[in-house]
Amino acid sequence: MNLQEFIIGFRELHSDEQNQEERFVDSFCEYLESNEKITNYELSYRLQVGLQMNAYSYDEEQNKLTLIVADYENFDYGATVSKAVVQKPYKRALKYLKKARKDLINVIEETSADYPLSQLIYELDYENTEIGVLVLSNRIYKANSPLEIEEVDGKEISYQIWDMERLFQLVNETQGIEDIEIDFNELSTENLSMLKVVDNNAEFDCYIGYISGEVLAKLYEDWGQRLIERNVRSFLQAKGNVNKGIKNTLRKEQEMFIAYNNGISTVAESIEVETSDSDRVYTINKIRGLQVVNGGQTTASMYYAKKDDKLDLSNVYVQMKLTVIKSTEKMNIMTSKISEYANTQNKISLSDLKANHHALIHLENLSRNTMIPSNSGVKSNVRWFFERARGQYLVDLSRETTKKRKDIFKQTNPKSKLLSKTDIAKYYMSWSCYPHKVSKGGETNFKEFMEFIDQENIEINQNFYKELIGMAILFKECDELVKNAKYPAYKANIITYTIAALSYLKKNEINFTQIWDNQSVTDQLRTELQNLIPLTWEHINNPPVAGSNITSWCKKEECWVSYKCSFEIKLRCL
């Protein structure tokens, strides 16, 4: 997937939404939160003369507040944006900060979308809080020159600019891992012969050899980004000097390529080999779980040189080290260390390790192989698509080579049925009666969800998957009902607390198998949600201490406990 394909796909994900700017910010922030660039973000919209705010992130442990504003122009997706234009939302965010420190909380309604933020800023220990501005642009800031940093009440307010290209780079760095099985006898007439390093290590075997440019290009053609997902320096077109050097060598000095290039480092889960006349030279017939952990640029450059430049790579050879990791338990740890040490200028993202959890791998496999029930008399060709790592949907879509194939992919995997890791955690933890944990934000709740899965030793099977989709359908229905009720703020909190309340009151009466079969909730269940939503709104807006920050109140277990108690009191009075 190149940058342009990523931009087109990202735009299409929310092109039919009513408030496209809000969805753009929400989607962008989800990527940033899942990769720990921000934490516990909340949407917080305000736009008026001189003021702008779209969202914020407040890390209580680090005492850090990040104000998030958008440079958004729907008709300019992917276009170049100037420094002067990017500076404007930064300045408007600073004016918002000044106003909020002064009296904004006194001039806006308590039900305003940005009331929680204005209250937070007003009550903030300003001197000891780190404050920055995050500018999100749906365009490309090619100049990439620094903005003019300004002060607010004696404090310099830092900034970060995230445009579509920077987001694309982040997505490429953090793709999840998919099992890859390669049969070299089917792939090519060339043998892959390698020398085994003498070492009786119980955890891994190591092989040294070379691979042809033709075979390497074919591997990337077949598997694309999945082949280099563990490589922290994923390929970003031929813009850097390294990539340009690779392509120039392929064009002009192919016979020198193996001398100039450092080669690739790969890992695998297992291999099938044949011995040759020498007891240390092996012919590799099959490789399972192959990953290029260093040399992603070389690998992808081979493919694009063959595809775009029509180069013959039959005389190109690349050095290759193959480490076969025998221990399943050590696979992630060893691969991360090999990748980290081979790419010393980069840090391995923690989200890479989370993406490889066995529960998420099982869920991904189930989502790819389970079609939704058909009610039309013919077989279904539609499924839910679970992203084990952010961006998988766009990567898979971009690998379809024709418009027809892309349309088929979209029909089979409609974006309305796209699920992220934080989505499934939100659905499951809401139904499991942890709305206070869900209210802490997507990434924080996701970590709680993974711990819960491990502690409870939950089996990830077909029944679990269908129930999870049932929870997703229920959650989306509640989302729509809350949206239609037009509550001005705290939408995310209303939804999770309503779902938790429904679970607490009616858990044994809800049939998720029926929801899965119908791919919708019953009218009776919809009515139950409609009855609970205003009760939830009333509860979260009446904390025990008047004037408390509602967002903070919803994150406390006390909020959920008191809500449960209110139902118990009502039931006892009946």
Side-chain angles (χ1 to χ4, degrees):
M1 175 174 60
N2 61 34
L3 175 60
Q4 193 58 36
E5 290 170 334
F6 173 75
I7 291 172
I8 292 171
F10 189 89
R11 180 180 184 178
E12 286 182 350
L13 283 179
H14 48 82
S15 59
D16 55 355
E17 299 284 344
Q18 289 183 346
N19 191 334
Q20 294 186 13
E21 181 174 325
E22 181 179 307
R23 286 298 300 127
F24 163 77
V25 172
D26 198 15
S27 297
F28 210 127
C29 287
E30 283 180 349
Y31 277 105
L32 296 178
E33 185 179 60
S34 67
N35 289 285
E36 301 175 342
K37 305 299 181 184
I38 57 175
T39 182
N40 301 333
Y41 78 91
E42 302 279 352
L43 296 178
S44 182
Y45 184 77
R46 176 164 293 277
L47 182 63
Q48 62 187 74
V49 178
L51 303 183
Q52 180 183 351
M53 195 53 55
N54 293 87
Y56 69 97
S57 165
Y58 182 52
D59 187 334
E60 294 182 63
E61 292 183 3
Q62 300 294 325
N63 207 22
K64 180 179 180 180
L65 173 64
T66 303
L67 305 175
I68 303 170
V69 286
D71 162 54
Y72 182 85
E73 179 50 68
N74 187 41
F75 299 105
D76 274 353
Y77 248 98
T80 301
V81 63
S82 68
K83 175 181 175 179
V85 172
V86 172
Q87 185 91 28
K88 288 179 180 178
Y90 171 67
K91 286 179 174 290
R92 288 195 289 263
L94 298 188
K95 288 185 178 179
Y96 183 96
L97 178 60
K98 292 176 184 177
K99 186 71 173 172
R101 278 183 50 74
K102 186 180 179 183
D103 63 354
L104 186 60
I105 193 174
N106 299 318
V107 298
I108 62 175
E109 297 291 333
E110 288 190 26
T111 53
S112 298
D114 66 318
Y115 187 87
L117 173 59
S118 64
Q119 183 182 28
L120 174 64
I121 293 173
Y122 188 75
E123 299 173 351
L124 204 62
D125 180 1
Y126 187 73
E127 184 177 342
N128 296 312
T129 301
E130 180 184 348
I131 301 178
V133 174
L134 197 61
V135 180
L136 309 182
S137 178
N138 70 329
R139 298 183 269 197
I140 298 176
Y141 186 40
K142 284 192 174 180
N144 207 33
S145 56
L147 302 183
E148 299 166 11
I149 294 182
E150 298 186 19
E151 292 185 355
V152 174
D153 296 336
K155 180 192 289 287
E156 279 196 351
I157 308 300
S158 63
Y159 70 89
Q160 287 279 325
I161 300 171
W162 280 82
D163 62 0
M164 293 305 295
E165 185 171 31
R166 190 172 181 182
L167 179 62
F168 170 65
Q169 292 170 356
L170 181 69
V171 170
N172 268 3
E173 289 175 1
T174 55
Q175 286 299 306
I177 312 305
E178 176 178 314
D179 285 343
I180 294 175
E181 189 162 331
I182 299 163
D183 187 331
F184 284 92
N185 293 323
E186 295 179 358
L187 183 74
S188 171
T189 57
E190 300 178 32
N191 290 328
L192 179 62
S193 296
M194 306 190 81
L195 178 69
K196 184 178 181 181
V197 178
V198 178
D199 190 348
N200 296 321
N201 194 300
E203 295 183 350
F204 67 90
D205 289 326
C206 188
Y207 299 81
I208 303 293
Y210 63 88
I211 187 171
S212 76
E214 289 284 343
V215 173
L216 197 53
K218 185 68 168 64
L219 288 175
Y220 191 84
E221 179 183 359
D222 290 347
W223 295 98
Q225 192 71 18
R226 292 174 178 81
L227 194 67
I228 59 176
E229 282 165 346
R230 291 185 189 265
N231 186 342
V232 296
R233 280 186 296 161
S234 291
F235 181 70
L236 301 177
Q237 296 187 302
K239 292 184 177 180
N241 291 331
V242 175
N243 288 325
K244 288 179 181 178
I246 290 173
K247 297 193 81 171
N248 286 336
T249 303
L250 290 175
R251 291 190 190 101
K252 301 173 183 178
E253 298 181 276
Q254 287 193 357
E255 71 282 357
M256 300 301 295
F257 190 87
I258 197 166
Y260 294 161
N261 188 266
N262 289 329
I264 63 175
S265 293
T266 64
V267 296
E269 296 175 15
S270 62
I271 60 173
E272 291 183 15
V273 299
E274 293 178 9
T275 57
S276 61
D277 295 337
S278 170
D279 61 357
R280 290 178 61 190
V281 177
Y282 293 79
T283 297
I284 313 292
N285 291 327
K286 289 184 179 181
I287 298 182
R288 182 175 180 274
L290 180 69
Q291 284 284 295
V292 179
V293 294
N294 181 244
Q297 295 180 349
T298 297
T299 303
S301 291
M302 290 290 173
Y303 168 72
Y304 284 103
K306 186 175 180 63
K307 175 178 177 284
D308 297 339
D309 300 337
K310 312 300 180 186
L311 295 182
D312 178 7
L313 303 178
S314 57
N315 294 320
V316 177
Y317 297 96
V318 181
Q319 300 168 75
M320 178 176 175
K321 182 178 80 169
L322 172 63
T323 303
V324 181
I325 302 174
K326 302 175 184 178
S327 169
T328 303
E329 292 77 15
K330 296 286 183 69
M331 185 68 184
N332 285 336
I333 298 172
M334 284 188 63
T335 302
S336 293
K337 287 187 178 294
I338 292 170
S339 182
E340 181 180 4
Y341 297 152
N343 298 277
T344 54
Q345 71 273 39
N346 286 319
K347 176 186 175 183
I348 302 296
S349 170
L350 292 176
S351 61
D352 289 339
L353 298 178
K354 285 182 268 183
N356 296 315
H357 192 283
H358 65 88
L360 301 183
I361 291 172
H362 289 328
L363 281 175
E364 181 185 35
N365 291 335
L366 286 165
S367 82
R368 301 300 188 271
N369 296 303
T370 308
M371 296 295 177
I372 68 172
S374 172
N375 297 317
S376 63
V378 295
K379 64 183 179 182
S380 171
N381 66 343
V382 178
R383 64 190 176 196
W384 290 76
F385 189 101
F386 170 58
E387 280 191 328
R388 185 155 51 93
R390 275 275 163 198
Q392 280 183 315
Y393 183 92
L394 296 182
V395 169
D396 285 359
L397 175 60
S398 71
R399 291 186 67 239
E400 302 299 341
T401 54
T402 65
K403 183 180 183 303
K404 182 178 180 181
R405 289 176 62 88
K406 289 181 186 294
D407 288 342
I408 292 173
F409 179 89
K410 292 176 185 177
Q411 290 168 5
T412 303
N413 309 281
K415 60 184 180 182
S416 61
K417 300 187 185 303
L418 174 61
L419 303 171
S420 69
K421 297 196 299 289
T422 52
D423 286 336
I424 64 166
K426 182 169 56 179
Y427 306 149
Y428 191 87
M429 295 297 279
S430 294
W431 185 253
S432 299
C433 294
Y434 295 108
H436 51 293
K437 293 184 177 183
V438 176
S439 295
K440 291 179 180 179
E443 191 68 14
T444 300
N445 179 61
F446 171 68
K447 291 176 183 176
E448 296 272 7
F449 167 69
M450 296 307 297
E451 290 175 6
F452 186 82
I453 291 290
D454 287 336
Q455 289 170 1
E456 300 297 321
N457 198 26
I458 294 173
E459 183 181 358
I460 309 301
N461 53 26
Q462 190 75 249
N463 288 335
F464 176 88
Y465 175 71
K466 291 181 178 180
E467 285 193 359
L468 188 62
I469 298 301
M471 294 174 196
I473 294 169
L474 178 65
F475 198 97
K476 287 173 178 285
E477 181 66 35
C478 187
D479 187 312
E480 194 65 28
L481 291 172
V482 173
K483 188 188 301 181
N484 292 339
K486 299 188 184 304
Y487 290 108
Y490 316 121
K491 176 169 166 277
N493 305 113
I494 298 171
I495 297 168
T496 185
Y497 271 86
T498 298
I499 295 294
L502 179 68
S503 176
Y504 181 72
L505 295 170
K506 305 278 185 176
K507 190 164 193 172
N508 295 328
E509 299 175 28
I510 306 302
N511 187 337
F512 282 116
T513 301
Q514 183 183 33
I515 296 176
W516 163 263
D517 288 340
N518 296 327
Q519 292 291 294
S520 64
V521 303
T522 63
D523 290 340
Q524 180 182 350
L525 191 50
R526 191 174 294 108
T527 301
E528 296 274 8
L529 291 171
Q530 287 174 323
N531 291 337
L532 282 170
I533 287 169
L535 298 179
T536 303
W537 169 257
E538 181 182 356
H539 172 74
I540 67 174
N541 276 283
N542 286 282
V545 179
S548 296
N549 185 286
I550 302 303
T551 304
S552 298
W553 162 236
C554 290
K555 295 176 183 177
K556 296 179 179 179
E557 187 174 5
E558 179 191 353
C559 182
W560 170 237
V561 172
S562 63
Y563 198 20
K564 287 192 297 183
C565 289
S566 70
F567 289 118
E568 292 170 359
I569 292 170
K570 289 176 182 177
L571 289 173
R572 284 198 295 268
C573 293
L574 292 178

